Amino acid sequence: KLIKADLLRVFVMGKGAGWGQAAPEPLRNGNWVYASYLANGQKGPEDLATCRACHLPLANKDFVHRYDEHFNGKK
């Protein structure tokens, strides 16, 4: 549930050639890497394998949620 308040954390995903190769083979999502940061800039405590597992079924959409919405808006 999202509640308007102070920033708690930020989740980031990025893609680059060769990125993500350190991930276990069953959780590799192309060249994507994931991170989370607390509001003070410190790394978040999340297990990023959870991020990878959630994005894994989206292989045909470059592992990105809302892929269709984004590209349909570009037409």
Side-chain angles (χ1 to χ4, degrees):
K1 182 175 180 183
L2 298 176
I3 300 170
K4 188 174 181 178
D6 293 334
L7 179 67
L8 178 61
R9 62 177 40 87
V10 174
F11 293 94
V12 179
M13 58 186 286
K15 181 180 177 183
W19 294 8
Q21 295 306 307
E25 181 67 34
L27 291 176
R28 286 192 188 156
N29 294 359
N31 290 317
W32 288 97
V33 291
Y34 303 85
S36 94
Y37 298 94
L38 301 176
N40 64 6
Q42 293 179 341
K43 285 189 176 186
E46 288 74 26
D47 176 3
L48 299 175
T50 303
C51 299
R52 291 184 168 283
C54 188
H55 284 263
L56 200 55
L58 301 166
N60 64 332
K61 297 183 181 187
D62 202 20
F63 306 99
V64 178
H65 292 277
R66 302 179 77 179
Y67 177 96
D68 294 328
E69 180 182 333
H70 174 75
F71 285 103
N72 285 340
K74 297 268 185 191
K75 292 180 181 177

